[in-house]
Amino acid sequence: MEPQTIIQEIAPSLYLLRVNDRQTRYFEALWEIPEGITYNAYLLKTPEGAVLFDGWKQPFTDAFVAALEQLTPLDEIKHIVIHHMEPDHSGTLPKILALTEAKPTVWGHPFTQRLIAGLCGLQPSFQAVKNGTRFAFGGRELVFYHAPWLHWPETMVTHLPQDNLLLTGDIFGGYGIPEGVFDDEVALLDQWLDSARKYTISVIGHYKDKIGKNIRTLTDKYGLQPSMILPAHGLLWRQAPQRVVQAYLDWGEGKSQPGKVTVVYSSMYRYVERAVQVAVDELRARGFRPVVHRMVDDKRAGLADILSDLADSEAIVLGTETYESDIFPLTEFLLHEMVNKVAFAKPLLAIAVFGWAGAAGKKLHTLLENAPYEPVRIVEFKGLLTEASEAQIREGVRAMVADLRAE
Ligand code: FEO
C-alpha cells in the first residue's frame, strides 16, 4: 500500500513534506507506537534553487522522491540542511544525493559530516555551521543554532528570520498521526501534547537536563520567539507555539500535574494486582488521580506510555512480582528505563510480592538505592493479601500523601 503523504505550502515558498508511518510498531525498535508517527521534511523554493531540510525514514525513499518531484526537479535542490542525522530523518539522504547531478551542499553541525560518512558512507560537499551562522540564498535568509543533545550531539535548528519560522528537528515533535497539519486544526490539542510528552520522554528523556538549557539559550540569549515551530514529527505549531515551548520546559524539569500518581505493576497471578488495588483505592479516597498501567497475562502496557505518565506525576506506586528468586524481568527493565529517562525526585511506594522468599524486595532496595526517587518505601509480603499487609500498604500511601502535601 502506498504511504499517505501530505505536501503543503505552509509559508511563502516553504513546503511541508510529511509521510504518515503506520508500519513502524516500535520506534527505535523500542518504543510502542500503535498511534503511528509522521516524518516531516521541508523544502524552501527560491529563484536560485531549492533548500531541502531533512528527509524521511529509508523505507519511504521512493515516496519521498516522488513528493519532492511534485515540487521541484531534483537538480534544483542546491542545499540540504541536516538538523539531526538519526536515520528516521536521514534515511533518504543517500538516494537524494545520488539523484542530484548538480551536487547540493550539505549544511550541518560539524559532527554531522562524520555521521554522514559513518552512517551513509558518503562525503558530500559539506558546510559546517556555528551558532548563529547566517546563510543568504535566493532572497531568503537562514540562521543556524546548535541544540546539542536534544537528543544527538549534532542536533541543531534553523531560523528563517524573514518569516520568523523555526525548524526544530526532533525538538517539539510528537508521536501520532494528527488529522490536521497545524495545532489549530486538531480537535484535542491536550492529547497531542500528551503525544509530544511521550515522544520527548522516551527519545530525549535521558538528556532532560539539556532541554531547559537549550531552549533558554534560543529564547533568552538569541531572542527567538518564533511565530511558527516546525518539528520533524507530528503537529506544526502556529497558533500556540509558546504552549509547546512551555510544555517542553515543564517536562525537562519533571513538573507534576497536581493529584496525578502513576501506578504501574507486574502481576503473574493477580496477587500483586489485588495489593496494588488497595493503594489505588486509598489514593482515590484521598483525592488523587491514579493512572494505572498493568503488565499482566492479558495486557501489557507500553513502556513509552508508562514513562510518559511517570514524567508528570506527583508520585509513583510500583508493584512487582518475584520471579526465579529475582525481581520480575519486566519490572527490572522498567526500572532501568525509569532511572534513565524519568530521573526526578518523587516519592515512590513499592509493593513486592514473593512466593518462596523475599527476593524482589531485596533487589528493589539495591536498584532504588541510588535512584533519584525519594522517599522510597517498600512493602513486601508473601502472595496472599493479609490484613497486616493491607494496613502496611494503606499506611504507605498515607505517608506518601503526607510527604506531597507537606511540600
Ligand atoms: Fe526523529 Fe532522533 O530522530
Side-chain angles (χ1 to χ4, degrees):
M1 197 168 66
E2 288 296 308
Q4 189 185 15
T5 60
I6 295 176
I7 304 166
Q8 183 174 323
E9 188 174 18
I10 54 170
S13 304
L14 181 69
Y15 296 82
L16 165 72
L17 298 105
R18 169 176 133 180
V19 64
N20 298 340
D21 177 1
R22 298 180 191 277
Q23 66 194 48
T24 297
R25 294 177 62 197
Y26 306 100
F27 186 69
E28 296 183 333
L30 183 56
W31 311 113
E32 310 85 349
I33 51 163
E35 64 270 57
I37 191 166
T38 77
Y39 311 111
N40 306 337
Y42 300 88
L43 186 81
L44 179 67
K45 293 174 72 173
T46 83
E48 291 180 29
V51 183
L52 173 63
F53 301 89
D54 298 315
W56 295 347
K57 196 175 173 185
Q58 190 277 333
F60 301 103
T61 299
D62 290 346
F64 188 55
V65 170
L68 275 174
E69 284 177 333
Q70 287 187 45
L71 295 174
T72 181
L74 293 186
D75 268 345
E76 283 295 303
I77 299 173
K78 307 296 186 197
H79 302 277
I80 299 176
V81 175
I82 303 286
H83 291 118
H84 166 42
M85 267 301 289
E86 190 165 8
D88 55 326
H89 309 290
S90 68
T92 49
L93 180 64
K95 188 74 170 186
I96 299 304
L97 289 173
L99 290 177
T100 42
E101 283 180 26
K103 295 301 178 194
T105 298
V106 176
W107 295 68
H109 184 286
F111 189 44
T112 297
Q113 188 172 26
R114 276 197 277 161
L115 290 179
I116 294 171
L119 294 174
C120 308
L122 298 171
Q123 292 183 308
S125 164
F126 187 81
Q127 184 72 49
V129 306
K130 297 177 181 166
N131 255 327
T133 295
R134 288 178 180 269
F135 172 45
F137 177 70
R140 305 299 283 260
E141 192 174 14
L142 281 62
V143 189
F144 307 106
Y145 299 97
H146 295 176
W149 301 109
L150 293 184
H151 60 123
W152 277 23
E154 90 298 6
T155 307
M156 65 171 210
V157 301
T158 302
H159 188 226
L160 275 57
Q162 291 146 310
D163 305 285
N164 196 18
L165 313 178
L166 192 65
L167 290 90
T168 59
D170 277 344
I171 309 167
F172 307 119
Y175 292 126
I177 298 176
E179 66 270 25
V181 165
F182 289 102
D183 56 344
D184 51 279
E185 296 173 340
V186 296
L188 301 167
L189 192 57
D190 284 348
Q191 181 185 307
W192 292 105
L193 278 168
D194 287 345
S195 297
R197 189 180 72 246
K198 177 177 170 181
Y199 181 81
T200 304
I201 297 301
S202 58
V203 173
I204 304 181
H206 180 74
Y207 301 105
K208 66 180 175 50
D209 294 342
K210 312 290 187 194
I211 291 176
K213 191 169 183 286
N214 274 290
I215 289 179
R216 290 199 175 89
T217 299
L218 295 175
T219 58
D220 300 352
K221 182 174 178 183
Y222 295 113
L224 299 187
Q225 298 291 338
S227 58
M228 221 187 270
I229 287 178
L230 307 174
H233 297 290
L235 274 184
L236 281 48
W237 300 82
R238 69 178 173 190
Q239 178 171 269
Q242 71 286 355
R243 195 159 167 205
V244 73
V245 170
Q246 185 57 53
Y248 241 68
L249 290 169
D250 291 346
W251 300 332
E253 294 167 1
K255 186 175 177 184
S256 304
Q257 289 188 38
K260 180 175 177 180
V261 177
T262 293
V263 177
V264 55
Y265 63 89
S266 56
S267 186
M268 289 189 290
Y269 298 107
R270 311 294 166 118
Y271 288 97
V272 175
E273 186 163 73
R274 284 190 283 273
V276 166
Q277 189 58 45
V278 172
V280 169
D281 292 344
E282 191 68 31
L283 282 165
R284 289 206 177 108
R286 289 169 183 280
F288 282 77
R289 182 169 59 87
V291 176
V292 180
H293 293 279
R294 307 158 68 230
M295 296 187 285
V296 293
D297 58 7
D298 62 357
K299 168 81 179 169
R300 184 178 300 170
L303 182 60
D305 293 292
I306 298 169
L307 297 175
S308 179
D309 275 325
L310 286 167
D312 68 347
S313 285
E314 281 200 273
I316 303 161
V317 174
L318 175 72
T320 186
E321 295 278 3
T322 294
Y323 190 81
E324 293 173 349
S325 300
D326 205 337
I327 196 167
F328 194 71
L330 294 177
T331 308
E332 186 163 19
F333 180 43
L334 169 64
L335 268 169
H336 180 271
E337 287 306 307
M338 280 172 62
V339 172
N340 182 21
K341 306 272 187 181
V342 198
F344 301 112
K346 301 185 180 198
L348 185 149
L349 171 64
I351 301 170
V353 168
F354 63 91
W356 311 331
K362 287 195 193 81
K363 190 68 178 274
L364 276 171
H365 276 290
T366 306
L367 292 173
L368 292 170
E369 203 168 31
N370 297 315
Y373 313 111
E374 64 172 41
V376 171
R377 297 180 176 84
I378 300 175
V379 177
E380 187 176 30
F381 55 97
K382 295 177 185 175
L384 206 58
L385 186 65
T386 61
E387 276 185 28
S389 48
E390 183 173 334
Q392 275 185 299
I393 294 167
R394 290 193 189 281
E395 184 47 40
V397 172
R398 285 183 202 119
M400 191 166 77
V401 168
D403 291 336
L404 291 171
R405 292 304 170 246
E407 287 174 357

